Amino acid sequence: MQFVPLPLSGAYLVELTRHRDERGFFARTWCAREFAAHGLNPRLSQTSVSYNEKRGTLRGMHYQVAPAEEAKLVTCIAGSIFDVIVDVREGSPTYRQWTSVTLQSSPDVLRGLYVPEGFAHGFQTLEDETVILYQISEFFAPETARGIRHDDPALGIPWPVHPAIVAPKDFAYPLLAP
Ligand SMILES: Cc1cn([C@H]2C[C@H](O)[C@@H](COP(=O)(O)OP(=O)(O)O[C@H]3O[C@@H](C)C(=O)[C@@H](O)[C@H]3O)O2)c(=O)[nH]c1=O
C-alpha cells in the first residue's frame, strides 16, 4: 500500500499494491498495521457495499458526529466515481474546503480514498453498474449521522454528470454553516 497525502490534512489516496500473475491480481484492501504506521485510524468495525445502477447517481454528503465519528476507506470495485470530501471540522484551518479524486476499478488501477473523522463524503457515479466498498471504523449510528448539501453554492463542487440522480433525503440536508 502507498499512502499519498491529499491537500486536506489527514486525507489520503491509498494506492493498493496489486500482485499480478496470469490469473489477474490479488490486492490487500485494508491493513490495520500499515494504517497505524501511517497515522490512519486502524480500527475496522464494519464493511459495507453500495451498488449504483445508473451513471450520474450522487450520494452524499454524509458524516457522523461524536461519539460515533467515523473514518473510512472508500474503494470503487466496479465502474468509476467522482469522489469528494469536505472538511466540516469547525475551527480547522481547512474548514469548508473540499477535494476530489476519481476512483475506478480496472486491472491497472486500484485505489481507495481514506476519509478521516470530521469530513463529509459524497460521490457521483461516472458509469452504470458502479459498486463501492466501504471499510469503516465505527458501527452505523443513525442518531449521530449528519449531512450537508452536495449542491451548496458556497462549496461549488463541480459534479460532472447532469442531471444528477439524488435521493430526496439528500436534498433535505442543510447548507454548511459559514
Ligand atoms: C450508511 C448505512 C446505512 N444503512 C441503512 C440505512 C438505510 O436503510 C439504508 C440506506 O442508507 P443511506 O440512504 O444512508 O445510504 P447512502 O446514502 O448510500 O449512505 C452512504 O453515503 C455515502 C456517501 C457514504 O459516505 C456512506 O458512509 C454512507 O453514508 O441502509 C445501514 O444499515 N448501515 C449503514 O452503515
Side-chain angles (χ1 to χ4, degrees):
M1 288 179 170
Q2 285 188 306
F3 296 84
V4 181
L6 290 171
L8 299 179
S9 170
Y12 289 85
L13 201 54
V14 182
E15 301 279 1
L16 304 178
T17 305
R18 288 165 300 113
H19 301 278
R20 299 208 62 147
D21 63 24
E22 63 284 357
R23 300 166 299 176
F25 71 72
F26 180 95
R28 198 181 334 143
T29 59
W30 181 275
C31 179
R33 193 165 45 197
E34 288 202 45
F35 274 36
H38 289 84
L40 281 60
N41 186 342
R43 183 179 149 101
L44 176 58
S45 296
Q46 55 144 324
T47 295
S48 297
V49 70
S50 95
Y51 165 75
N52 302 276
E53 193 175 345
K54 297 288 183 204
R55 177 176 187 267
T57 302
L58 196 162
R59 298 183 189 236
M61 312 288 299
H62 303 157
Y63 62 106
Q64 294 210 159
V65 295
E69 279 187 303
E70 66 183 15
K72 58 197 168 196
L73 184 69
V74 180
T75 311
C76 181
I77 54 173
S80 57
I81 58 171
F82 175 77
D83 206 10
V84 180
I85 51 173
V86 182
D87 185 350
V88 295
R89 301 169 298 183
E90 280 183 44
S92 161
T94 54
Y95 180 59
R96 295 164 65 91
Q97 291 184 24
W98 61 269
T99 192
S100 66
V101 297
T102 300
L103 299 182
Q104 65 212 257
S105 173
S106 82
D108 302 319
V109 184
L110 189 62
R111 55 167 67 114
L113 174 64
Y114 177 78
V115 183
E117 296 89 342
F119 282 74
H121 169 255
F123 66 84
Q124 187 174 40
T125 58
L126 301 173
E127 297 174 45
D128 291 349
E129 311 267 327
T130 288
V131 181
I132 305 303
L133 175 70
Y134 297 97
Q135 295 169 108
I136 307 174
S137 64
E138 290 297 324
F139 296 106
F140 179 48
E143 63 285 0
T144 54
R146 301 286 185 277
I148 56 168
R149 286 284 291 266
H150 66 275
D151 57 351
D152 186 334
L155 298 176
I157 299 166
W159 298 102
V161 183
H162 303 278
I165 302 167
V166 184
K169 58 130 186 143
D170 280 350
F171 277 118
Y173 288 126
L175 302 177
L176 184 55

PDB file of all heavy atoms in Angstrom, residues 98 150-159:
ATOM      1  N   TRP A  98     -12.825  21.569   0.087  1.00  0.00           N
ATOM      2  CA  TRP A  98     -13.116  20.228  -0.411  1.00  0.00           C
ATOM      3  C   TRP A  98     -12.033  19.807  -1.390  1.00  0.00           C
ATOM      4  O   TRP A  98     -11.298  20.639  -1.929  1.00  0.00           O
ATOM      5  CB  TRP A  98     -14.503  20.172  -1.072  1.00  0.00           C
ATOM      6  CG  TRP A  98     -14.659  21.076  -2.259  1.00  0.00           C
ATOM      7  CD1 TRP A  98     -15.113  22.371  -2.234  1.00  0.00           C
ATOM      8  CD2 TRP A  98     -14.347  20.781  -3.618  1.00  0.00           C
ATOM      9  NE1 TRP A  98     -15.096  22.889  -3.507  1.00  0.00           N
ATOM     10  CE2 TRP A  98     -14.638  21.938  -4.377  1.00  0.00           C
ATOM     11  CE3 TRP A  98     -13.856  19.658  -4.282  1.00  0.00           C
ATOM     12  CZ2 TRP A  98     -14.446  22.002  -5.766  1.00  0.00           C
ATOM     13  CZ3 TRP A  98     -13.666  19.708  -5.661  1.00  0.00           C
ATOM     14  CH2 TRP A  98     -13.962  20.870  -6.379  1.00  0.00           C
ATOM     15  N   HIS A 150     -24.962  18.593  -1.202  1.00  0.00           N
ATOM     16  CA  HIS A 150     -23.923  18.387  -2.226  1.00  0.00           C
ATOM     17  C   HIS A 150     -23.836  19.578  -3.169  1.00  0.00           C
ATOM     18  O   HIS A 150     -22.813  19.803  -3.807  1.00  0.00           O
ATOM     19  CB  HIS A 150     -24.239  17.123  -3.021  1.00  0.00           C
ATOM     20  CG  HIS A 150     -25.497  17.238  -3.830  1.00  0.00           C
ATOM     21  ND1 HIS A 150     -26.739  16.981  -3.304  1.00  0.00           N
ATOM     22  CD2 HIS A 150     -25.689  17.636  -5.110  1.00  0.00           C
ATOM     23  CE1 HIS A 150     -27.642  17.203  -4.240  1.00  0.00           C
ATOM     24  NE2 HIS A 150     -27.033  17.598  -5.342  1.00  0.00           N
ATOM     25  N   ASP A 151     -24.964  20.357  -3.246  1.00  0.00           N
ATOM     26  CA  ASP A 151     -25.016  21.479  -4.191  1.00  0.00           C
ATOM     27  C   ASP A 151     -24.950  22.820  -3.473  1.00  0.00           C
ATOM     28  O   ASP A 151     -25.451  23.823  -3.985  1.00  0.00           O
ATOM     29  CB  ASP A 151     -26.280  21.382  -5.051  1.00  0.00           C
ATOM     30  CG  ASP A 151     -27.548  21.335  -4.203  1.00  0.00           C
ATOM     31  OD1 ASP A 151     -27.444  21.214  -2.964  1.00  0.00           O
ATOM     32  OD2 ASP A 151     -28.647  21.412  -4.787  1.00  0.00           O
ATOM     33  N   ASP A 152     -24.333  22.828  -2.303  1.00  0.00           N
ATOM     34  CA  ASP A 152     -24.145  24.077  -1.551  1.00  0.00           C
ATOM     35  C   ASP A 152     -23.372  25.066  -2.441  1.00  0.00           C
ATOM     36  O   ASP A 152     -22.230  24.787  -2.835  1.00  0.00           O
ATOM     37  CB  ASP A 152     -23.355  23.750  -0.274  1.00  0.00           C
ATOM     38  CG  ASP A 152     -23.221  24.942   0.664  1.00  0.00           C
ATOM     39  OD1 ASP A 152     -23.278  26.088   0.179  1.00  0.00           O
ATOM     40  OD2 ASP A 152     -23.053  24.711   1.874  1.00  0.00           O
ATOM     41  N   PRO A 153     -23.989  26.219  -2.762  1.00  0.00           N
ATOM     42  CA  PRO A 153     -23.288  27.141  -3.672  1.00  0.00           C
ATOM     43  C   PRO A 153     -21.983  27.667  -3.088  1.00  0.00           C
ATOM     44  O   PRO A 153     -21.065  28.022  -3.847  1.00  0.00           O
ATOM     45  CB  PRO A 153     -24.291  28.283  -3.889  1.00  0.00           C
ATOM     46  CG  PRO A 153     -25.427  28.046  -2.966  1.00  0.00           C
ATOM     47  CD  PRO A 153     -25.313  26.670  -2.376  1.00  0.00           C
ATOM     48  N   ALA A 154     -21.884  27.688  -1.767  1.00  0.00           N
ATOM     49  CA  ALA A 154     -20.635  28.164  -1.152  1.00  0.00           C
ATOM     50  C   ALA A 154     -19.490  27.173  -1.379  1.00  0.00           C
ATOM     51  O   ALA A 154     -18.318  27.553  -1.338  1.00  0.00           O
ATOM     52  CB  ALA A 154     -20.840  28.386   0.348  1.00  0.00           C
ATOM     53  N   LEU A 155     -19.844  25.921  -1.619  1.00  0.00           N
ATOM     54  CA  LEU A 155     -18.803  24.929  -1.902  1.00  0.00           C
ATOM     55  C   LEU A 155     -18.513  24.884  -3.400  1.00  0.00           C
ATOM     56  O   LEU A 155     -17.363  24.805  -3.818  1.00  0.00           O
ATOM     57  CB  LEU A 155     -19.232  23.542  -1.413  1.00  0.00           C
ATOM     58  CG  LEU A 155     -19.482  23.408   0.098  1.00  0.00           C
ATOM     59  CD1 LEU A 155     -20.008  22.006   0.428  1.00  0.00           C
ATOM     60  CD2 LEU A 155     -18.192  23.671   0.870  1.00  0.00           C
ATOM     61  N   GLY A 156     -19.553  24.923  -4.211  1.00  0.00           N
ATOM     62  CA  GLY A 156     -19.377  24.950  -5.663  1.00  0.00           C
ATOM     63  C   GLY A 156     -18.698  23.711  -6.227  1.00  0.00           C
ATOM     64  O   GLY A 156     -17.852  23.808  -7.120  1.00  0.00           O
ATOM     65  N   ILE A 157     -19.072  22.553  -5.716  1.00  0.00           N
ATOM     66  CA  ILE A 157     -18.443  21.306  -6.203  1.00  0.00           C
ATOM     67  C   ILE A 157     -18.929  21.027  -7.633  1.00  0.00           C
ATOM     68  O   ILE A 157     -20.138  20.985  -7.882  1.00  0.00           O
ATOM     69  CB  ILE A 157     -18.801  20.127  -5.268  1.00  0.00           C
ATOM     70  CG1 ILE A 157     -18.275  20.403  -3.853  1.00  0.00           C
ATOM     71  CG2 ILE A 157     -18.239  18.813  -5.810  1.00  0.00           C
ATOM     72  CD1 ILE A 157     -18.843  19.477  -2.786  1.00  0.00           C
ATOM     73  N   PRO A 158     -18.002  20.850  -8.578  1.00  0.00           N
ATOM     74  CA  PRO A 158     -18.397  20.672  -9.989  1.00  0.00           C
ATOM     75  C   PRO A 158     -18.765  19.222 -10.309  1.00  0.00           C
ATOM     76  O   PRO A 158     -18.021  18.512 -10.989  1.00  0.00           O
ATOM     77  CB  PRO A 158     -17.147  21.123 -10.746  1.00  0.00           C
ATOM     78  CG  PRO A 158     -16.019  20.762  -9.841  1.00  0.00           C
ATOM     79  CD  PRO A 158     -16.532  20.890  -8.420  1.00  0.00           C
ATOM     80  N   TRP A 159     -19.921  18.790  -9.838  1.00  0.00           N
ATOM     81  CA  TRP A 159     -20.363  17.413 -10.116  1.00  0.00           C
ATOM     82  C   TRP A 159     -20.412  17.216 -11.624  1.00  0.00           C
ATOM     83  O   TRP A 159     -21.004  18.045 -12.339  1.00  0.00           O
ATOM     84  CB  TRP A 159     -21.720  17.167  -9.467  1.00  0.00           C
ATOM     85  CG  TRP A 159     -21.659  17.309  -7.974  1.00  0.00           C
ATOM     86  CD1 TRP A 159     -22.090  18.381  -7.237  1.00  0.00           C
ATOM     87  CD2 TRP A 159     -21.085  16.381  -7.052  1.00  0.00           C
ATOM     88  NE1 TRP A 159     -21.834  18.171  -5.889  1.00  0.00           N
ATOM     89  CE2 TRP A 159     -21.224  16.948  -5.745  1.00  0.00           C
ATOM     90  CE3 TRP A 159     -20.483  15.137  -7.173  1.00  0.00           C
ATOM     91  CZ2 TRP A 159     -20.766  16.301  -4.595  1.00  0.00           C
ATOM     92  CZ3 TRP A 159     -20.034  14.492  -6.020  1.00  0.00           C
ATOM     93  CH2 TRP A 159     -20.176  15.064  -4.758  1.00  0.00           C
TER      94      TRP A 159
END
